[in-house]
Amino acid sequence: MSFLGCTKSAFVLCVGLSIVLLAINNMNEFGNGPTTDEEIKECGFYPGELCKALFEGKPAALVVGNICQAALPPSREEGEAILRSNCSTLINDLHIITKPLSAEEADYPLAYILTIHKQLDMFTKLLAAIYAPQNVYCIHIDLKSPKTYSQAVRRLAGCFHNVFLSSRQETVVYAGFSRLRADVNCMEDLVRSDLPWRNVINLCGQDFPVKTNKEIVRYLKSKWKGKNLTPGVIQPPHIRYRTQVAYKEFVHKGKSYVYPTQEKKAGPPHNITLYFGTAYYALTRGFVEFVLTDQRAKDLLEWSKNTYSPDEHYWVTLNRMKDFPGSTPDAGWEGNIRAVKWRDQQGISHSGCSGHYVRDICVFGLGDLRWLVDSPHLFANKFDPSRYGLVTDCLERHYRIRVLQGAAGVPLEPGWYFPDEYSTRTIQ
Ligand SMILES: *[C@@H]1O[C@H](CO)[C@@H](O)[C@H](O)[C@H]1NC(C)=O
Ligand SMILES: *[C@@H]1O[C@H](CO)[C@@H](O)[C@H](O)[C@H]1NC(C)=O
């Protein structure tokens, strides 16, 4: 394919159109993208330019991107590859940043709780993105997860002094107490850590960062100085069903769910006013230490065992209590913790989902990239690299460049950059 005749300013569009024409030329039937290795290589010919055009929201780039994305080789579970590799190879292949990128960041270590259960490639992308040597990472692997997956995560964690698996594991049920318990398990480990982390942030396996470590540190140090960030409001009437009757978790042969029983529940202990909010937070160390020992917090945890989705009331409720360290009794929904496109927010906070909705939450497609990088939030949810591989490929490159641009007083190592080709999709 020749790009002769493309002027520099129109280069991206021209590359795009050339690829489209090539791709369309090669389509045998409507809907079929390029299929041979050669055609796929054309898609990967200029991913940097393609991603750039996508971030700029160019319609032609979206057409090409979608064709190319459909042609990407399906992402593989790379557990076996990780288990075969040694740590120096893994750290190289994942382009892990091995030094703090500024004194400011080194002086403000963060803790992360990652609750994961599937999609190893998404986990490795997430860890590679958020990893910094001064931070600490507690990983909770669902007991349901496949053995190779768990072994690979354990292997990877073993390559770092500051990444560990939670000492107690749960079988996590969607909307169940086990989800909250997984976070608490990690907190119990984290408060024992010698690493002087200041705030803890929780993530799930389908999150990806929007802001860099430095930006996160600055946001927490300024807007939420010494405070916990737990967006939410007093439990609204339409949410009361979650705590009025007792719920039970069902787990059997790969199936799991939470279901209501006939049993009526008494109100919360200590006459605590219940709040409702996101399960995502940034909490101070002082708050976490307090919550793990305070009797009211312990009693509320016990009471929450048979409620629906207690992770959406527990943290926000405790953080509205006046005498809890770093609490914000008067806060509401503010706080840029997560960029999420809710289905019912379509036309209000976003103009639609370019991917598809799962449980009323958008799984981001290529047309969402622009919205994502413009978002004021620290992290975004949800991503699925098996379905939208180019979304995460573009995002991780764009993100890494921003991270390295923010470095101060540290020589940047060549291995920290992503090569501009698809070969990084697989660990050799
Ligand atoms: C790790 O594996 C690579 C590739 O197999 C090999 O070249 C290297 O010597 C190994 N490094 C160590 C420390 O074992
Ligand atoms: C519980 O709280 C309500 C409303 O805040 C108050 O009216 C009531 O007296 C309290 N009950 C106890 C036992 O403290």
Side-chain angles (χ1 to χ4, degrees), residues 300-378:
L300 184 65
L301 190 68
E302 187 63 31
W303 179 84
S304 298
K305 276 186 174 162
N306 56 7
T307 61
Y308 184 90
S309 205
D311 52 342
E312 290 179 315
H313 75 239
Y314 189 67
W315 307 110
V316 62
T317 295
L318 296 178
N319 189 35
R320 297 292 181 262
M321 290 168 71
K322 284 199 173 58
D323 63 321
F324 276 55
S327 71
T328 58
D330 302 319
W333 284 112
E334 66 267 25
N336 300 333
I337 197 81
R338 210 54 106 250
V340 176
K341 282 188 170 182
W342 292 94
R343 193 199 290 269
D344 63 5
Q345 288 288 305
Q346 189 159 323
I348 303 166
S349 72
H350 65 90
S351 60
C353 174
S354 156
H356 68 283
Y357 287 104
V358 171
R359 289 182 174 128
D360 293 332
I361 293 175
C362 179
V363 179
F364 300 116
L366 287 174
D368 297 312
L369 282 171
R370 179 76 226 220
W371 183 86
L372 282 167
V373 294
D374 285 343
S375 166
H377 291 277
L378 304 183

Coordinates of all heavy atoms in Angstrom, one line a residue, residues 300-378:
L300 N -21.9 -3.0 62.2 CA -22.6 -2.7 60.9 C -22.1 -3.7 59.8 O -22.9 -4.2 59.0 CB -22.2 -1.3 60.4 CG -22.9 -0.9 59.1 CD1 -24.5 -0.8 59.3 CD2 -22.4 0.5 58.6
L301 N -20.9 -4.2 59.9 CA -20.4 -5.2 59.0 C -21.2 -6.5 59.2 O -21.6 -7.1 58.2 CB -18.9 -5.4 59.2 CG -18.2 -6.3 58.2 CD1 -18.2 -5.6 56.8 CD2 -16.8 -6.7 58.6
E302 N -21.3 -6.9 60.5 CA -22.1 -8.1 60.8 C -23.5 -8.0 60.3 O -24.1 -8.9 59.7 CB -22.0 -8.3 62.3 CG -22.6 -9.6 62.8 CD -21.8 -10.8 62.3 OE1 -20.6 -10.7 62.1 OE2 -22.5 -11.8 62.1
W303 N -24.1 -6.8 60.6 CA -25.5 -6.6 60.2 C -25.7 -6.6 58.6 O -26.7 -7.1 58.1 CB -26.0 -5.2 60.7 CG -27.4 -4.8 60.4 CD1 -28.5 -5.2 61.0 CD2 -27.8 -4.0 59.3 NE1 -29.6 -4.6 60.4 CE2 -29.2 -3.9 59.3 CE3 -27.1 -3.3 58.3 CZ2 -30.0 -3.1 58.4 CZ3 -27.9 -2.6 57.3 CH2 -29.3 -2.5 57.4
S304 N -24.6 -6.2 57.9 CA -24.7 -6.1 56.5 C -24.5 -7.5 55.8 O -24.8 -7.6 54.6 CB -23.5 -5.2 56.0 OG -23.7 -3.9 56.5
K305 N -24.2 -8.5 56.6 CA -23.9 -9.8 56.0 C -25.1 -10.4 55.1 O -24.8 -11.0 54.1 CB -23.6 -10.9 57.1 CG -22.2 -10.8 57.5 CD -21.8 -11.9 58.4 CE -20.3 -11.9 58.7 NZ -19.9 -12.6 59.9
N306 N -26.3 -10.1 55.5 CA -27.4 -10.6 54.7 C -28.2 -9.5 54.0 O -29.4 -9.6 53.9 CB -28.3 -11.5 55.6 CG -28.8 -10.7 56.8 OD1 -28.6 -9.5 56.9 ND2 -29.5 -11.4 57.7
T307 N -27.5 -8.4 53.6 CA -28.1 -7.4 52.8 C -27.7 -7.5 51.4 O -26.8 -8.2 51.0 CB -27.7 -6.0 53.4 OG1 -26.3 -5.8 53.2 CG2 -28.1 -5.8 54.8
Y308 N -28.4 -6.8 50.5 CA -28.1 -6.8 49.1 C -27.1 -5.7 48.7 O -27.2 -4.5 49.1 CB -29.4 -6.5 48.3 CG -29.2 -6.6 46.8 CD1 -29.4 -7.8 46.1 CD2 -28.9 -5.5 46.0 CE1 -29.2 -7.9 44.7 CE2 -28.7 -5.6 44.7 CZ -28.9 -6.8 44.0 OH -28.7 -6.8 42.7
S309 N -26.0 -6.1 48.1 CA -24.9 -5.2 47.7 C -24.4 -4.3 48.8 O -24.4 -3.1 48.6 CB -25.4 -4.4 46.5 OG -24.4 -4.0 45.7
P310 N -24.0 -4.9 49.9 CA -23.6 -4.0 51.0 C -22.3 -3.1 50.7 O -22.1 -2.2 51.5 CB -23.2 -5.1 52.1 CG -23.0 -6.3 51.4 CD -23.9 -6.3 50.2
D311 N -21.6 -3.5 49.7 CA -20.4 -2.6 49.4 C -20.9 -1.2 48.9 O -20.2 -0.3 48.9 CB -19.5 -3.2 48.4 CG -20.2 -3.7 47.1 OD1 -21.5 -3.9 47.2 OD2 -19.6 -3.9 46.1
E312 N -22.2 -1.1 48.6 CA -22.8 0.2 48.2 C -23.4 0.9 49.3 O -23.9 2.0 49.1 CB -23.8 0.0 47.0 CG -23.1 -0.4 45.7 CD -24.0 -0.7 44.6 OE1 -25.1 -1.3 44.7 OE2 -23.7 -0.2 43.5
H313 N -23.3 0.4 50.5 CA -23.8 1.2 51.7 C -22.7 1.3 52.8 O -22.7 2.3 53.5 CB -25.1 0.8 52.2 CG -25.1 -0.5 53.1 ND1 -25.9 -1.6 52.7 CD2 -24.4 -0.8 54.2 CE1 -25.6 -2.6 53.6 NE2 -24.8 -2.1 54.5
Y314 N -21.9 0.3 52.9 CA -21.0 0.2 54.1 C -20.0 1.4 54.2 O -20.0 2.1 55.2 CB -20.2 -1.1 54.0 CG -19.5 -1.4 55.3 CD1 -20.1 -1.7 56.5 CD2 -18.1 -1.4 55.3 CE1 -19.4 -1.9 57.7 CE2 -17.3 -1.7 56.5 CZ -18.0 -1.9 57.7 OH -17.3 -2.2 58.8
W315 N -19.2 1.6 53.2 CA -18.2 2.6 53.3 C -18.8 4.0 53.4 O -18.3 4.9 54.1 CB -17.2 2.5 52.1 CG -16.7 1.1 51.9 CD1 -17.0 0.2 50.9 CD2 -15.8 0.5 52.8 NE1 -16.3 -0.9 51.2 CE2 -15.6 -0.9 52.3 CE3 -15.2 0.8 54.0 CZ2 -14.8 -1.8 53.0 CZ3 -14.4 -0.1 54.6 CH2 -14.2 -1.4 54.1
V316 N -19.8 4.3 52.5 CA -20.3 5.6 52.5 C -21.1 5.9 53.8 O -21.0 7.0 54.4 CB -21.2 5.8 51.3 CG1 -22.4 4.9 51.2 CG2 -21.7 7.3 51.2
T317 N -21.7 4.9 54.4 CA -22.4 5.1 55.7 C -21.4 5.5 56.8 O -21.6 6.4 57.5 CB -23.2 3.8 56.1 OG1 -24.2 3.6 55.1 CG2 -23.8 3.9 57.5
L318 N -20.3 4.7 56.9 CA -19.3 5.0 57.9 C -18.6 6.3 57.7 O -18.3 7.0 58.7 CB -18.3 3.9 58.0 CG -18.8 2.5 58.4 CD1 -17.7 1.4 58.4 CD2 -19.5 2.5 59.8
N319 N -18.4 6.7 56.4 CA -17.8 7.9 56.1 C -18.6 9.2 56.3 O -18.2 10.3 56.2 CB -17.2 7.9 54.7 CG -16.3 9.1 54.4 OD1 -15.6 9.5 55.3 ND2 -16.4 9.6 53.2
R320 N -19.9 8.9 56.7 CA -20.8 10.1 57.0 C -20.9 10.3 58.5 O -21.7 11.1 59.0 CB -22.2 9.9 56.3 CG -22.2 9.9 54.8 CD -21.9 11.2 54.2 NE -21.9 11.1 52.7 CZ -20.9 10.9 51.9 NH1 -19.6 10.8 52.5 NH2 -21.0 10.8 50.6
M321 N -20.2 9.4 59.3 CA -20.3 9.5 60.7 C -19.2 10.5 61.2 O -18.0 10.3 60.9 CB -20.2 8.1 61.4 CG -21.4 7.3 61.0 SD -21.3 5.6 61.4 CE -21.3 5.6 63.2
K322 N -19.7 11.4 62.0 CA -18.8 12.6 62.4 C -17.5 12.2 63.0 O -16.5 12.9 62.7 CB -19.6 13.5 63.3 CG -20.6 14.4 62.6 CD -21.0 15.6 63.4 CE -22.0 16.5 62.7 NZ -23.2 15.8 62.2
D323 N -17.4 11.2 63.9 CA -16.2 11.0 64.6 C -15.3 10.0 63.9 O -14.3 9.6 64.5 CB -16.5 10.6 66.0 CG -17.3 9.2 66.1 OD1 -18.2 9.0 65.2 OD2 -17.0 8.4 66.9
F324 N -15.6 9.6 62.7 CA -14.7 8.7 62.0 C -13.6 9.5 61.3 O -13.8 10.5 60.7 CB -15.4 7.8 60.9 CG -16.1 6.6 61.5 CD1 -16.9 6.7 62.6 CD2 -15.8 5.3 61.0 CE1 -17.5 5.5 63.1 CE2 -16.4 4.2 61.5 CZ -17.2 4.3 62.6
P325 N -12.3 9.0 61.4 CA -11.2 9.8 60.9 C -11.4 10.1 59.4 O -11.7 9.2 58.6 CB -10.0 8.9 61.1 CG -10.4 7.9 62.1 CD -11.8 7.7 62.0
G326 N -11.2 11.4 59.0 CA -11.3 11.8 57.6 C -12.7 11.8 57.1 O -12.9 11.9 55.8
S327 N -13.7 11.7 57.9 CA -15.1 11.5 57.4 C -15.6 12.8 56.8 O -15.1 13.9 57.1 CB -16.1 11.0 58.5 OG -16.3 12.1 59.4
T328 N -16.6 12.7 55.9 CA -17.2 13.8 55.2 C -18.7 13.7 55.4 O -19.5 13.3 54.5 CB -16.9 13.8 53.7 OG1 -17.4 12.5 53.2 CG2 -15.4 13.9 53.4
P329 N -19.2 14.2 56.6 CA -20.6 14.0 57.0 C -21.6 14.7 56.0 O -22.7 14.3 55.9 CB -20.7 14.6 58.4 CG -19.3 14.6 58.9 CD -18.5 14.7 57.7
D330 N -21.1 15.8 55.4 CA -22.1 16.6 54.6 C -21.9 16.3 53.1 O -22.5 17.0 52.2 CB -21.9 18.1 54.8 CG -22.1 18.4 56.3 OD1 -23.0 17.8 56.9 OD2 -21.3 19.1 56.9
A331 N -21.1 15.4 52.7 CA -20.8 15.1 51.3 C -22.0 14.5 50.6 O -22.8 13.9 51.2 CB -19.5 14.3 51.1
G332 N -22.0 14.6 49.3 CA -23.0 13.9 48.4 C -22.3 13.1 47.4 O -21.4 12.3 47.7
W333 N -22.8 13.3 46.1 CA -22.2 12.4 45.0 C -20.9 12.9 44.5 O -20.3 12.3 43.6 CB -23.2 12.4 43.9 CG -24.4 11.5 44.1 CD1 -25.7 11.9 44.3 CD2 -24.4 10.0 44.2 NE1 -26.5 10.8 44.5 CE2 -25.7 9.6 44.4 CE3 -23.4 9.1 44.1 CZ2 -26.1 8.3 44.6 CZ3 -23.7 7.7 44.3 CH2 -25.1 7.4 44.5
E334 N -20.4 14.1 45.0 CA -19.2 14.6 44.5 C -18.0 13.7 44.7 O -18.0 12.9 45.6 CB -18.9 16.0 45.0 CG -18.6 16.1 46.5 CD -19.8 16.3 47.4 OE1 -20.9 16.0 46.9 OE2 -19.6 16.9 48.5
G335 N -17.0 13.9 43.9 CA -15.8 13.1 43.9 C -15.6 12.3 42.6 O -16.5 11.6 42.2
N336 N -14.5 12.5 42.0 CA -14.3 11.9 40.6 C -13.6 10.6 40.7 O -12.5 10.4 40.3 CB -13.4 12.9 39.8 CG -14.0 14.2 39.6 OD1 -15.2 14.4 39.7 ND2 -13.2 15.2 39.4
I337 N -14.4 9.6 41.3 CA -13.7 8.3 41.5 C -13.8 7.4 40.3 O -12.9 6.7 39.9 CB -14.3 7.6 42.8 CG1 -13.4 6.5 43.2 CG2 -15.7 7.2 42.6 CD1 -12.2 7.0 44.0
R338 N -14.9 7.5 39.5 CA -15.1 6.5 38.4 C -15.9 7.1 37.3 O -17.0 7.7 37.5 CB -15.9 5.3 38.9 CG -15.6 4.0 38.3 CD -14.2 3.6 38.2 NE -13.8 2.5 39.1 CZ -13.0 2.7 40.2 NH1 -12.5 3.9 40.5 NH2 -12.6 1.7 40.9
A339 N -15.4 7.0 36.1 CA -16.1 7.4 34.8 C -16.9 6.2 34.4 O -16.3 5.1 34.0 CB -15.1 7.8 33.8
V340 N -18.2 6.3 34.5 CA -19.1 5.2 34.1 C -20.2 5.7 33.2 O -20.7 6.8 33.5 CB -19.7 4.5 35.3 CG1 -20.7 3.4 34.9 CG2 -18.7 3.9 36.3
K341 N -20.5 5.1 32.1 CA -21.6 5.5 31.3 C -22.8 4.6 31.6 O -22.9 3.4 31.2 CB -21.3 5.3 29.8 CG -20.4 6.4 29.2 CD -20.3 6.3 27.7 CE -19.7 7.6 27.1 NZ -19.6 7.5 25.6
W342 N -23.6 5.1 32.5 CA -24.9 4.4 32.9 C -25.9 4.5 31.7 O -26.0 5.6 31.1 CB -25.5 5.0 34.1 CG -24.6 4.7 35.4 CD1 -23.7 5.6 35.9 CD2 -24.6 3.5 36.2 NE1 -23.1 5.0 37.0 CE2 -23.6 3.8 37.2 CE3 -25.3 2.3 36.2 CZ2 -23.4 2.8 38.2 CZ3 -25.0 1.4 37.1 CH2 -24.1 1.7 38.1
R343 N -26.6 3.5 31.5 CA -27.6 3.5 30.4 C -28.6 4.7 30.7 O -29.0 5.4 29.8 CB -28.4 2.2 30.4 CG -29.2 2.1 29.1 CD -30.3 1.0 29.2 NE -29.7 -0.4 29.3 CZ -29.6 -1.1 28.2 NH1 -29.9 -0.6 27.0 NH2 -29.1 -2.3 28.3
D344 N -29.0 4.9 31.9 CA -30.1 5.9 32.2 C -29.5 7.3 32.2 O -30.2 8.3 32.3 CB -30.8 5.6 33.5 CG -29.9 5.6 34.8 OD1 -28.7 6.0 34.6 OD2 -30.4 5.3 35.9
Q345 N -28.2 7.4 32.0 CA -27.6 8.8 31.9 C -27.3 9.2 30.5 O -26.8 10.2 30.2 CB -26.2 8.8 32.6 CG -26.3 8.7 34.2 CD -26.8 10.0 34.7 OE1 -26.3 11.1 34.5 NE2 -27.9 9.9 35.5
Q346 N -27.7 8.3 29.6 CA -27.6 8.6 28.1 C -28.4 9.8 27.8 O -29.5 10.0 28.1 CB -28.1 7.4 27.3 CG -27.8 7.5 25.8 CD -27.8 6.2 25.1 OE1 -27.3 5.2 25.7 NE2 -28.2 6.2 23.9
G347 N -27.7 10.8 27.1 CA -28.3 12.1 26.8 C -28.2 13.1 27.9 O -28.5 14.2 27.8
I348 N -27.7 12.6 29.1 CA -27.5 13.6 30.2 C -26.0 13.8 30.5 O -25.5 14.8 30.2 CB -28.2 13.0 31.5 CG1 -29.7 12.8 31.2 CG2 -28.0 14.0 32.7 CD1 -30.4 12.0 32.3
S349 N -25.3 12.7 30.9 CA -23.9 12.9 31.2 C -23.0 12.3 30.1 O -21.8 12.4 30.1 CB -23.5 12.3 32.5 OG -23.5 10.9 32.4
H350 N -23.7 11.7 29.1 CA -22.9 11.1 27.9 C -23.9 11.0 26.8 O -25.1 11.0 27.0 CB -22.2 9.8 28.3 CG -23.2 8.7 28.6 ND1 -23.7 7.8 27.6 CD2 -23.8 8.3 29.7 CE1 -24.5 6.9 28.2 NE2 -24.5 7.2 29.5
S351 N -23.3 10.8 25.6 CA -24.2 10.8 24.4 C -24.4 9.4 23.8 O -24.8 9.3 22.7 CB -23.6 11.7 23.3 OG -22.3 11.3 23.0
G352 N -24.1 8.4 24.7 CA -24.4 7.0 24.2 C -23.1 6.2 24.3 O -22.0 6.7 24.6
C353 N -23.4 4.9 24.2 CA -22.3 3.9 24.4 C -21.9 3.3 23.1 O -22.7 2.8 22.4 CB -22.9 2.8 25.3 SG -21.8 1.4 25.6
S354 N -20.6 3.5 22.8 CA -20.2 3.0 21.5 C -19.9 1.5 21.5 O -19.8 0.8 20.4 CB -18.9 3.8 21.1 OG -18.1 3.1 20.2
G355 N -19.8 0.9 22.7 CA -19.7 -0.5 22.8 C -21.0 -1.1 23.0 O -21.9 -1.0 22.2
H356 N -21.3 -1.8 24.2 CA -22.6 -2.3 24.5 C -22.8 -2.2 26.0 O -21.8 -2.1 26.8 CB -22.8 -3.7 24.0 CG -21.9 -4.7 24.7 ND1 -20.6 -4.9 24.4 CD2 -22.2 -5.6 25.6 CE1 -20.1 -5.9 25.2 NE2 -21.1 -6.3 25.9
Y357 N -24.1 -2.3 26.4 CA -24.4 -2.2 27.9 C -24.4 -3.6 28.5 O -24.9 -4.6 27.9 CB -25.7 -1.6 28.1 CG -25.7 -0.1 27.9 CD1 -26.3 0.5 26.7 CD2 -25.2 0.8 28.8 CE1 -26.3 1.8 26.5 CE2 -25.2 2.2 28.6 CZ -25.7 2.7 27.4 OH -25.7 4.0 27.2
V358 N -23.8 -3.7 29.7 CA -23.9 -4.9 30.5 C -24.4 -4.5 31.9 O -23.8 -3.6 32.5 CB -22.5 -5.6 30.6 CG1 -22.6 -6.7 31.7 CG2 -22.0 -6.2 29.3
R359 N -25.5 -5.0 32.3 CA -26.1 -4.5 33.5 C -26.2 -3.0 33.6 O -25.9 -2.4 34.6 CB -25.4 -5.0 34.8 CG -25.5 -6.5 35.0 CD -24.7 -6.9 36.2 NE -24.9 -8.3 36.5 CZ -24.0 -9.2 36.7 NH1 -22.7 -8.8 36.7 NH2 -24.3 -10.5 37.0
D360 N -26.7 -2.4 32.5 CA -26.9 -1.0 32.3 C -25.6 -0.1 32.4 O -25.7 1.1 32.6 CB -27.9 -0.5 33.4 CG -29.3 -1.0 33.1 OD1 -29.6 -1.3 31.9 OD2 -30.1 -1.2 34.1
I361 N -24.4 -0.8 32.3 CA -23.2 -0.1 32.3 C -22.5 -0.3 31.0 O -22.5 -1.4 30.5 CB -22.3 -0.5 33.5 CG1 -22.8 -0.1 34.8 CG2 -20.8 0.1 33.3 CD1 -22.1 -0.6 36.0
C362 N -22.0 0.8 30.4 CA -21.4 0.7 29.1 C -20.0 0.0 29.2 O -19.2 0.3 30.0 CB -21.2 2.1 28.5 SG -20.4 2.1 26.9
V363 N -19.9 -1.0 28.3 CA -18.5 -1.6 28.0 C -18.0 -0.8 26.9 O -18.5 -0.8 25.8 CB -18.6 -3.1 27.7 CG1 -17.2 -3.7 27.4 CG2 -19.3 -3.9 28.8
F364 N -16.9 -0.1 27.1 CA -16.5 1.0 26.2 C -16.0 0.4 24.8 O -15.3 -0.6 24.8 CB -15.4 1.8 26.8 CG -15.7 2.5 28.0 CD1 -15.1 2.2 29.2 CD2 -16.7 3.5 28.0 CE1 -15.5 2.8 30.4 CE2 -17.1 4.1 29.2 CZ -16.5 3.8 30.4
G365 N -16.5 1.1 23.8 CA -16.1 0.8 22.4 C -15.2 1.9 21.9 O -14.9 2.9 22.7
L366 N -14.8 1.8 20.7 CA -13.8 2.8 20.1 C -14.3 4.2 20.1 O -13.6 5.2 20.3 CB -13.4 2.4 18.7 CG -12.5 1.2 18.6 CD1 -12.3 0.8 17.2 CD2 -11.1 1.5 19.2
G367 N -15.6 4.4 19.9 CA -16.2 5.7 19.9 C -16.3 6.4 21.3 O -16.7 7.5 21.4
D368 N -15.9 5.6 22.3 CA -15.9 6.2 23.7 C -14.6 6.7 24.1 O -14.4 7.3 25.2 CB -16.4 5.1 24.7 CG -17.8 4.6 24.4 OD1 -18.7 5.5 24.2 OD2 -18.0 3.4 24.4
L369 N -13.5 6.5 23.3 CA -12.2 6.9 23.7 C -12.1 8.4 24.0 O -11.5 8.8 25.0 CB -11.2 6.5 22.6 CG -10.8 5.0 22.6 CD1 -10.0 4.7 21.4 CD2 -10.0 4.6 23.8
R370 N -12.7 9.2 23.1 CA -12.6 10.6 23.3 C -13.2 11.0 24.6 O -12.6 11.8 25.4 CB -13.3 11.3 22.1 CG -13.4 12.8 22.1 CD -12.1 13.3 21.7 NE -11.7 14.3 22.6 CZ -11.1 15.5 22.2 NH1 -10.8 15.6 20.9 NH2 -10.8 16.4 23.0
W371 N -14.4 10.5 24.9 CA -15.1 10.8 26.2 C -14.2 10.4 27.3 O -14.1 11.1 28.4 CB -16.4 10.1 26.2 CG -17.3 10.3 27.3 CD1 -18.2 11.3 27.5 CD2 -17.4 9.5 28.5 NE1 -18.8 11.2 28.7 CE2 -18.3 10.1 29.4 CE3 -16.7 8.3 29.0 CZ2 -18.7 9.6 30.6 CZ3 -17.1 7.8 30.2 CH2 -18.0 8.4 31.1
L372 N -13.6 9.3 27.2 CA -12.7 8.7 28.3 C -11.6 9.6 28.7 O -11.4 10.0 29.8 CB -12.2 7.3 28.0 CG -13.2 6.2 28.1 CD1 -12.7 4.9 27.5 CD2 -13.5 5.9 29.6
V373 N -10.8 10.1 27.6 CA -9.7 10.9 28.0 C -10.1 12.3 28.4 O -9.3 13.0 29.1 CB -8.6 11.0 26.8 CG1 -8.0 9.6 26.6 CG2 -9.2 11.5 25.5
D374 N -11.3 12.7 28.1 CA -11.8 14.0 28.5 C -12.4 14.0 29.9 O -12.7 15.0 30.5 CB -12.9 14.6 27.6 CG -12.3 15.1 26.3 OD1 -11.1 15.3 26.2 OD2 -13.0 15.2 25.3
S375 N -12.5 12.8 30.5 CA -13.2 12.6 31.7 C -12.4 13.1 32.9 O -11.2 13.0 32.9 CB -13.5 11.1 32.0 OG -13.9 10.9 33.3
P376 N -13.0 13.8 33.9 CA -12.3 14.3 35.1 C -12.0 13.2 36.1 O -11.4 13.4 37.1 CB -13.3 15.3 35.6 CG -14.6 14.8 35.3 CD -14.5 14.1 33.9
H377 N -12.6 11.9 35.8 CA -12.5 10.9 36.8 C -11.1 10.2 36.9 O -10.3 10.3 35.9 CB -13.5 9.8 36.6 CG -14.9 10.4 36.9 ND1 -15.5 10.4 38.1 CD2 -15.8 10.9 36.1 CE1 -16.7 10.9 38.1 NE2 -16.9 11.3 36.9
L378 N -10.8 9.6 38.0 CA -9.5 9.0 38.2 C -9.4 7.7 37.4 O -8.4 7.3 36.9 CB -9.3 8.7 39.7 CG -9.3 9.8 40.7 CD1 -9.0 9.4 42.1 CD2 -8.4 11.0 40.3

